Amino acid sequence: MHGTTKGGTAYSLRRRLMVAMMVGFIIILSVVSVGLWGYARNAANSTYDLLLDGASIAVLERISMTPEGVAIDFPPSALEILGLAREDRVFYRIFTGNGQTLTGRSDLPLPRRGGKNPDSQFYDADYSGETVRFILRGRQIPGPKAPQWINVQIGQTRAARDEMQRDLFSNGLLGLTALAVIGLIFVRIGINLALRPLSGIEADIRNREPSDLAPLKATPPREVESLIGTINAFMRRLETSKDNAQTFIADVAHQLRTSLSSLRGQLELAAEQKDPKLAAARLEKASDQVGRTIRLTNQLLSHAMVIHRADSQLRDRVDIEALVKTALEEIIRDDVDSRMDYEFHMDEARAGDMVVAGDAIALREALRNVIDNARKHGASGGLVRIELSDQLVAGNPAIAIAVEDNGPGVAPEEYDNVLKRFYTIGGKGESGIGLAIVKAVVEGHEGTLSLSRASGGGLRVQMVLPVGEIKGDQV
Amino acid sequence: MRMLLVEDNNDLAEMIVDRFRADGHAMDHEVDGSQAEQLLRHSRFDIIILDINLPGMSGYDVLRTMRARGDATPVLVLTARSEIDDRIIGLDTGADDYLVKPFDYGELAARCRALVRRRAGEASNNFLCGNLQYDRGAKRATVDGVDLELRQREIQLLEAFLGSLGKVLSKEEVADKIYRFDEAPSLNAVEQAVTRLRRKLKGSPLTIRTIRGLGYIANARDD
């Protein structure tokens, strides 16, 4: 999956896991190789020490005391055994307990301190520019006179040992490394298996038709289940909004076509009419039809606008009282001659504080439509009552705007229908879109819209808008 | 009236110009925003009808530079629905009114008359609307030439309403306008004064609506 996540570049899960596993393996390998190095050294030493030991015993055994002194019968086999290591040089020295060299090199180094075993001890020492492994073995040799302590010191350079140690170590390490590599391969396979549902989802989405919003079919592991669930919920929302948009466009097309067809019909009739008086009457009808079409178009555009604005989630400080004032000013200006009366009620003490965070334009549109609706359906010479009050919705402050007319009212079973687009009661040549706009605006503000019977028998429309978080300036 | 139309859609402009000229108004027409702005620098109009989407310079900018120059000519903005936004709603660009396309010519004409009248109600010495005439200097209102014989209070009331045609005036605001600060205003007296004035204005195109809980709105009916 490419692209970036919010707040930085995207990282690769796979790479992260692999790096973590590699670091783990490297730590394990380092610890193990330290141990392995020591083990290989011991193994090499003990192997070659046996040879040294054997040689020293063989030499010591052939030393005897004669009346002439110490007799040394140096067994060639002893040195042959040591000669098995071809690369190595061998040094020896036989000397008495008081350090008098009988044969061999007198300058061979002695151990720095006495070993645990006074009879024999192994040690490394530098000699002739190399590290040499020595054995020092001593024995009381009984003789005709007093028994004498004789030491045999044999040294062998470390080449063969070191090679063996290196061999052991590198073979061991090779095995371990192979094991680590195989482990990493398994880890990688595991990661791929774990991530497969994700790439499956990706491929699923990538290969879809743009219009296909069906839920993802992957059966995800538990860890990814909620992600898939969220994606599917999002697709459902998308589908709903797409369906709404399609229905809306279809509705609009139908309404406008109908309106324009009848306009065309009126105009054709007028054109065919020979009698100028009748033609004028036809034109009058056509003109009314144009007026209706314009109103319808404006309502439709207004509806589209509030839906679009609901998506953009504008939240300014909106003074509802001021909004009611301007809405009334506009309605009365456009309808100067009507006998309709308006009443406004709110708690005087709350003047200037009836404020919500919202989209001023959309709310204004909604309010106009509600008041217009009440004005149209009220009794002639009737009264439209507008009331603002504070409410609590789920513990949060909200403002209720209620608009009542004193008309014939709406039957409760029709409440759901009158909120639908293009649904009109009584057919006064209206678009039937007003309350649908109101509903869209209220829903965009996460508020509620409810219809009920007004005290005077007319319709009461109540919008409850959550106050929300108010910041910014008064609009 | 001397009018200026700034509109780049030729069909619409032609229709508007024809109708207004037929109604006896002198109407100039500009297509380009910046040219309209140039023209406004040295010409006076009673009202300007201004489209927002213009070549050369947007209607908003024309309006802003006008107001910045201190030109207070009433402006009615024409807009497509998609452009209605806070700038218009707040009318903070200094537009006095707006109409959404498509509109009805009759409505455009009525809005223009209302704007010019409102400006007159605020400022002119001689307010004329249909058969109602008010002479600010002589403090005299006549309907069909007949003096309404308004009292001092009613004159102040009438001036208050003419000065805010089409706007809600709360009772308190009305009281502030018709009582001197050393008088104790009574809202009851305001109501009575409005009732009397309304009765005297009967037969004139000026209507005063009461909106309980908000106050009054005065509107001049079109004849």
Side-chain angles (χ1 to χ4, degrees):
Chain A
M1 299 197 191
H2 303 289
T4 56
T5 50
K6 226 175 180 165
T9 47
Y11 57 86
S12 154
L13 263 181
R14 195 176 277 130
R15 190 177 312 146
R16 278 195 173 189
L17 285 167
M18 287 302 285
V19 165
M21 291 303 294
M22 272 170 150
V23 168
F25 274 126
I26 285 168
I27 290 171
I28 292 172
L29 279 179
S30 326
V31 171
V32 168
S33 53
V34 168
L36 188 65
W37 182 251
Y39 159 80
R41 186 185 183 88
N42 286 341
N45 269 345
S46 58
T47 307
Y48 283 91
D49 283 355
L50 280 177
L51 297 181
L52 269 181
D53 209 19
S56 69
I57 288 170
V59 170
L60 209 54
E61 267 187 347
R62 306 293 280 275
I63 294 175
S64 56
M65 298 290 283
T66 60
E68 288 81 46
V70 184
I72 301 172
D73 175 14
F74 202 92
S77 62
L79 290 183
E80 271 170 29
I81 291 173
L82 296 178
L84 290 174
R86 286 209 187 84
E87 304 292 312
D88 285 312
R89 292 178 296 152
V90 178
F91 315 96
Y92 68 93
R93 170 190 181 203
I94 300 172
F95 58 103
T96 60
N98 50 25
Q100 184 198 351
T101 304
L102 303 171
T103 177
R105 300 176 175 230
S106 57
D107 59 350
L108 290 185
L110 287 170
R112 247 161 278 161
R113 52 182 185 279
K116 284 182 221 112
N117 183 352
D119 290 355
S120 74
Q121 60 171 305
F122 290 95
Y123 60 94
D124 286 349
D126 287 337
Y127 179 72
S128 70
E130 273 187 88
T131 307
V132 182
R133 180 78 172 166
F134 286 104
I135 180 164
L136 181 62
R137 181 180 277 281
R139 196 158 71 97
Q140 286 279 29
I141 306 283
K145 297 176 201 162
Q148 205 179 353
W149 185 270
I150 298 291
N151 287 315
V152 173
Q153 181 182 8
I154 304 178
Q156 186 181 29
T157 51
R158 297 200 50 108
R161 294 165 188 264
D162 287 352
E163 196 178 340
M164 182 176 173
Q165 181 181 352
R166 271 197 301 275
D167 268 2
L168 282 173
F169 176 73
S170 55
N171 286 339
L173 203 60
L174 204 64
L176 275 174
T177 311
L179 204 62
V181 168
I182 290 169
L184 280 176
I185 289 171
F186 273 112
V187 167
R188 174 121 198 161
I189 291 171
I191 293 171
N192 283 352
L193 278 175
L195 292 180
R196 182 170 295 167
L198 291 182
S199 40
I201 294 166
E202 187 197 7
D204 184 351
I205 294 177
R206 198 172 347 107
N207 298 331
R208 278 165 181 250
E209 293 294 314
S211 59
D212 179 8
L213 292 171
L216 295 168
K217 282 177 283 296
T219 40
R222 263 201 310 280
E223 290 79 357
V224 199
E225 206 166 21
S226 65
L227 172 67
I228 302 248
T230 312
I231 291 177
N232 281 341
F234 177 70
M235 304 249 267
R236 270 196 301 280
R237 283 214 306 278
L238 212 56
E239 179 139 48
T240 314
S241 103
K242 190 188 74 174
D243 288 350
N244 286 345
Q246 278 173 343
T247 324
F248 181 70
I249 290 166
D251 283 351
V252 169
H254 170 76
Q255 295 280 333
L256 283 178
R257 282 209 183 97
T258 312
S259 204
L260 289 171
S261 310
S262 74
L263 174 62
R264 186 180 194 155
Q266 308 272 20
L267 287 172
E268 280 171 358
L269 284 172
E272 289 161 12
Q273 195 55 249
K274 300 283 184 289
D275 181 349
K277 255 198 188 136
L278 286 172
R282 293 270 177 216
L283 279 175
E284 190 64 39
K285 272 198 168 159
S287 171
D288 287 349
Q289 184 64 41
V290 170
R292 275 199 293 279
T293 311
I294 287 179
R295 274 198 300 281
L296 173 70
T297 311
N298 277 337
Q299 286 283 73
L300 289 171
L301 290 172
S302 153
H303 193 279
M305 177 188 77
V306 300
I307 288 176
H308 162 72
R309 293 182 72 99
D311 292 342
S312 55
Q313 293 281 320
L314 285 162
R315 292 287 178 264
D316 296 317
R317 183 193 147 91
V318 184
D319 183 337
I320 302 289
E321 189 192 351
L323 216 55
V324 172
K325 253 189 208 171
T326 33
L328 281 176
E329 282 169 2
E330 286 187 359
I331 286 174
I332 288 171
R333 180 193 63 191
D334 294 343
D335 192 19
V336 169
D337 283 333
S338 94
R339 314 270 315 133
M340 187 64 67
D341 267 325
Y342 299 91
E343 257 183 37
F344 178 76
H345 298 269
M346 69 173 270
D347 181 358
E348 292 286 333
R350 300 272 292 121
D353 290 330
M354 286 301 210
V355 173
V356 299
D359 176 354
I361 313 263
L363 286 173
R364 187 171 153 280
E365 207 69 19
L367 200 56
R368 264 212 77 153
N369 275 293
V370 175
I371 299 175
D372 246 342
N373 202 60
R375 180 177 66 81
K376 283 180 193 149
H377 293 100
S380 67
L383 176 72
V384 174
R385 230 172 142 271
I386 303 160
E387 192 178 355
L388 303 189
S389 56
D390 291 295
Q391 286 216 354
L392 276 180
V393 175
N396 296 315
I399 287 178
I401 309 165
V403 178
E404 291 182 1
D405 64 58
N406 61 347
V410 174
E413 56 268 23
E414 290 278 36
Y415 286 167
D416 282 346
N417 287 331
V418 296
L419 295 180
K420 289 188 183 135
R421 277 199 296 269
F422 311 121
Y423 190 89
T424 53
I425 296 179
K428 294 186 184 174
E430 288 160 43
S431 62
I433 212 170
L435 284 179
I437 292 175
V438 178
K439 184 162 178 258
V441 172
V442 171
E443 280 170 359
H445 284 78
E446 280 125 38
T448 54
L449 177 66
S450 56
L451 306 185
S452 57
R453 191 172 170 280
S455 47
L459 180 65
R460 174 186 170 96
V461 181
Q462 176 163 290
M463 305 183 262
V464 179
L465 301 170
V467 170
E469 207 174 320
I470 293 169
K471 45 184 187 285
D473 298 331
Q474 165 78 49
V475 174
Chain B
M1 286 190 282
R2 184 139 191 250
M3 310 175 79
L4 173 65
L5 171 70
V6 192
E7 164 66 62
D8 58 333
N9 179 321
N10 275 324
D11 292 341
L12 182 63
E14 205 175 309
M15 187 278 284
I16 294 175
V17 170
D18 284 353
R19 304 285 299 258
F20 274 109
R21 285 184 182 156
D23 286 348
H25 298 291
M27 185 169 236
D28 289 323
H29 173 218
E30 280 291 347
V31 171
D32 177 284
S34 45
Q35 280 169 5
E37 213 280 313
Q38 292 298 325
L39 175 68
L40 284 167
R41 280 171 190 276
H42 49 254
S43 303
R44 285 275 157 267
F45 295 92
D46 294 318
I47 186 161
I48 297 156
I49 301 171
L50 181 62
D51 186 26
I52 289 300
N53 254 329
L54 289 173
M57 187 176 188
S58 101
Y60 287 128
D61 295 331
V62 175
L63 190 50
R64 206 169 295 123
T65 45
M66 250 182 80
R67 295 298 187 231
R69 268 206 314 273
D71 184 342
T73 310
V75 171
L76 186 145
V77 167
L78 297 182
T79 165
R81 167 75 60 172
S82 58
E83 299 159 345
I84 289 200
D85 56 23
D86 320 331
R87 287 181 292 185
I88 290 206
I89 295 303
L91 298 179
D92 59 359
T93 38
D96 298 273
D97 199 356
Y98 67 96
L99 256 184
V100 178
K101 296 177 188 175
F103 50 80
D104 180 64
Y105 168 77
E107 186 169 11
L108 176 63
R111 293 284 187 92
C112 289
R113 280 196 296 275
L115 277 186
V116 172
R117 207 160 32 220
R118 187 187 303 166
R119 183 55 46 90
E122 282 164 16
S124 86
N125 271 331
N126 203 352
F127 176 84
L128 194 58
C129 169
N131 56 4
L132 171 72
Q133 192 172 3
Y134 176 65
D135 181 339
R136 212 179 283 267
K139 303 275 181 221
R140 209 167 74 100
T142 58
V143 171
D144 290 326
V146 180
D147 192 338
L148 294 182
E149 296 177 3
L150 299 182
R151 301 180 202 172
Q152 172 68 18
R153 279 267 140 82
E154 291 157 5
I155 290 283
Q156 284 168 322
L157 201 53
L158 178 64
E159 282 189 2
F161 284 133
L162 289 181
S164 49
L165 282 175
K167 297 275 173 226
V168 171
L169 269 183
S170 71
K171 275 187 197 169
E172 290 77 8
E173 283 167 330
V174 174
D176 281 348
K177 287 188 197 286
I178 66 174
Y179 286 100
R180 294 198 312 273
F181 65 91
D182 55 350
E183 294 177 299
S186 119
L187 296 184
N188 257 341
V190 170
E191 273 178 48
Q192 285 163 16
V194 170
T195 310
R196 273 201 308 276
L197 179 63
R198 200 184 268 136
R199 205 171 26 229
K200 286 184 177 172
L201 286 171
K202 221 178 170 81
S204 85
L206 196 69
T207 60
I208 301 167
R209 283 278 188 97
T210 305
I211 300 176
R212 262 186 52 202
L214 276 184
Y216 305 100
I217 295 189
N219 273 294
R221 203 179 316 116
D222 265 307
D223 340 293

